[in-house]
Amino acid sequence: MSTTSSSEFSGWGKNFQSRSERVALSSIDELQGLLTKAGRGRGFLPIGLHRSYGDSALNSGGTLIDLSALNTISIDASTGVAVVGAGVTITQLERAALMHSLFPPVVPGTGFVTMGGAIAADIHGKSHHRTGTFSACVRRIKLLLASGAIADYTPEDAEFWATVGGLGLTGAVLEVELQLKSVKSNSADVTERRVKNLAEMIDVLGGADADFEHTVAWIDLSGDYRGRGVVSLGNYGATSVKSKDSNSAGPKLPSIAGKNFITPLSVRAFNEIWFRKPLKNGPVALGKYMHPLDGINEWNNIYGRDGFLQYQFVIDIGKEEIFERLFAGLRSLKAASFLGVLKKFGEQSQAPMSFPRRGWTLTLDYSTKVPGLEKFLQEFDEELVAAGGRIYLIKDSRVSPSLIPAMYPELNKWREIRRTMDPTGLWQSDQARRLHLC
């Protein structure tokens, strides 16, 4: 039976609140019944675990459809093909796949992303330069349309690519069929290197593509903002290691009276420790290596009641000078980030709204209370667009809608396909309204 509740919800960034009705459905039949009886109103939005940072999974005054009950996993060990429900998380799929010496080819920095969310965001990981986005391993999507009809889409269909990266606005993902990768163990063989500045970091990452399946760098954006950091390079390992057999994150970080612990001083101290910590060289459990964000449960509480924003963008190779402009501005604001991640992307997928494309992607977290940050980011957005870059919408909570067509030049193509899939505009979100996506 379905359950319904009305409450306030927020994205992972906790930087604003949204009141909605939330319906947890236990079957596809119930979901179809809900749609056929519904008036248009503020619409419906399928949701997972609310791990998108901004307002992608919010629908103020509308209805959120929780599909976590769709949690079946079926794996054909002989072919490596998995058929999974929309509510299955990356971590759950990994655990089931490893029992057959298999693993999802693309996983993000957290395992607490559902299959529906993975499709809606067209997630990427440390392996994008080799494997592309999540959609590259997807063979079929079962989708519930606004009409109540159920359709299967494959990479041969335009509707498949509109749904991939489509932010949940084409329909409710019910089931995903994907091709898993054969692995020899539950570990990654990891090599880490310290680098003294951004130029050296880019040089090491850029030269690692041929030899390493997984490449990523933590970058120190505090102190003198020169971009020192630690580059982590990994391949699937041959030696199994002990790992925590759990579907939960590590110890929970409490919210202490809504206090924000992120200051330039605390971040600089943390970053100094992180830069000096012993380097990894050897086998590391895949879950630990792939999902460093899950080491502490509810780590977003560290930013206090006002929350934080995550800013992730991609820029073409050869336009790295834009990083120096960004660093100079952050330095002048004394805006320190303890989570700075640099990766190199490979080829773009066919999805009109998929974020990754060939180039460099930088991810930063900032408290919403940094004086002058919003004004600076607005100015930097303009420079980013002029340089041909774009931001990741699943992380966004603040960009101007006027910049979206330039960032996503196939937006109108996506709109046309979406309109045929949802002619009455049933699927809605706060972000879609804010950015005029639909």
Side-chain angles (χ1 to χ4, degrees):
M1 294 292 293
S2 64
T3 60
T4 303
S5 61
S6 180
S7 185
E8 284 194 345
F9 299 91
S10 67
W12 189 245
K14 293 187 175 182
N15 52 356
F16 46 76
Q17 300 292 318
S18 168
R19 178 164 288 276
S20 307
E21 184 178 76
R22 174 182 168 275
V23 181
L25 296 156
S26 58
S27 71
I28 294 174
D29 288 342
E30 282 187 342
L31 178 52
Q32 288 177 297
L34 177 68
L35 297 190
T36 56
K37 295 176 183 176
R40 181 174 178 181
R42 295 279 283 184
F44 292 81
L45 182 68
I47 61 163
L49 298 178
H50 279 289
R51 289 299 179 111
S52 55
Y53 285 72
D55 51 356
S56 299
L58 303 180
N59 187 23
S60 301
T63 302
L64 303 175
I65 301 175
D66 180 353
L67 299 177
S68 58
L70 304 181
N71 56 6
T72 58
I73 301 176
S74 175
I75 297 176
D76 185 333
S78 63
T79 63
V81 173
V83 179
V84 295
V88 172
T89 67
I90 292 288
T91 294
Q92 289 170 334
L93 177 59
E94 288 173 352
R95 185 170 57 178
L98 281 172
M99 295 176 65
H100 304 286
S101 297
L102 298 166
F103 201 76
V106 178
V107 297
T110 173
F112 294 95
V113 174
T114 63
M115 294 297 108
I119 294 292
D122 199 17
I123 58 173
H124 59 272
K126 303 176 180 70
S127 61
H128 189 275
H129 60 286
R130 289 276 192 94
T131 60
T133 55
F134 189 75
S135 57
C137 66
V138 176
R139 297 159 45 112
R140 176 179 59 84
I141 300 171
K142 184 181 290 294
L143 196 70
L144 177 67
L145 300 174
S147 64
I150 295 175
D152 282 337
Y153 295 118
T154 72
E156 302 299 316
D157 302 310
E159 295 88 348
F160 176 97
W161 294 110
T163 300
V164 166
L167 303 168
L169 299 171
T170 63
V173 174
L174 304 175
E175 183 179 88
V176 179
E177 180 180 314
L178 66 154
Q179 181 68 53
L180 301 174
K181 178 183 181 66
S182 178
V183 295
K184 295 179 180 178
S185 74
N186 70 342
S187 75
D189 282 335
V190 179
T191 299
E192 291 186 337
R193 287 183 54 182
R194 289 189 186 90
V195 293
K196 62 182 181 294
N197 54 42
L198 177 65
E200 186 180 358
M201 181 177 290
I202 286 175
D203 185 58
V204 173
L205 281 174
D209 288 6
D211 298 321
F212 293 94
E213 184 110 14
H214 306 282
T215 63
V216 66
W218 167 80
I219 184 169
D220 180 1
L221 291 180
S222 66
D224 60 9
Y225 293 77
R226 68 178 181 269
R228 70 173 183 175
V230 177
V231 178
S232 178
L233 311 171
N235 287 314
Y236 291 103
T239 304
S240 289
V241 296
K242 290 184 179 180
S243 63
K244 182 175 66 173
D245 185 17
S246 170
N247 193 43
S248 62
K252 181 178 178 180
L253 183 69
S255 178
I256 304 175
K259 184 174 177 57
N260 175 16
F261 290 94
I262 299 299
T263 68
L265 184 62
S266 67
V267 171
R268 187 168 185 175
F270 172 86
N271 285 357
E272 184 65 29
I273 293 170
W274 199 255
F275 182 72
R276 301 295 177 187
K277 70 182 180 66
L279 299 178
K280 296 184 181 74
N281 283 287
V284 177
L286 277 170
K288 184 176 181 180
Y289 178 65
M290 298 296 184
H291 311 306
L293 298 180
D294 297 338
I296 299 177
N297 196 8
E298 297 190 26
W299 57 265
N300 53 346
N301 283 336
I302 198 170
Y303 287 94
R305 67 167 58 91
D306 294 312
F308 72 104
L309 62 88
Q310 186 165 105
Y311 189 72
Q312 182 173 3
F313 66 91
V314 60
I315 194 71
D316 291 345
I317 293 170
K319 296 186 177 180
E320 295 83 358
E321 68 276 1
I322 200 169
F323 291 128
E324 296 300 339
R325 162 70 178 117
L326 176 67
F327 294 176
L330 296 174
R331 186 189 307 113
S332 68
L333 294 173
K334 297 183 172 58
S337 174
F338 83 93
L339 179 63
V341 176
L342 183 69
K343 288 184 285 198
K344 187 180 179 184
F345 279 158
E347 295 299 329
Q348 183 175 348
S349 81
Q350 298 179 47
M353 297 301 287
S354 183
F355 164 70
R357 66 159 200 236
R358 180 170 290 279
W360 298 106
T361 182
L362 181 65
T363 306
L364 308 169
D365 283 356
Y366 286 102
S367 168
T368 59
K369 306 307 287 183
V370 176
L373 180 63
E374 176 58 26
K375 181 177 184 296
F376 169 70
L377 288 181
Q378 288 175 352
E379 295 170 352
F380 185 77
D381 288 342
E382 299 279 356
E383 294 185 36
L384 181 67
V385 168
R390 65 181 175 211
I391 65 167
Y392 196 10
L393 296 183
I394 207 70
K395 307 286 185 72
D396 175 63
S397 59
R398 42 148 307 276
V399 73
S400 170
S402 65
L403 298 179
I404 301 303
M407 290 183 176
Y408 289 87
E410 292 191 288
L411 174 62
N412 284 334
K413 174 183 178 181
W414 175 80
R415 284 171 171 162
E416 291 173 5
I417 301 169
R418 180 192 174 277
R419 193 174 298 120
T420 65
M421 300 173 73
D422 180 15
T424 64
L426 184 73
W427 306 109
Q428 298 186 32
S429 72
D430 286 357
Q431 184 180 61
R433 288 185 284 264
R434 174 173 60 87
L435 297 180
H436 310 159
L437 295 179
C438 303

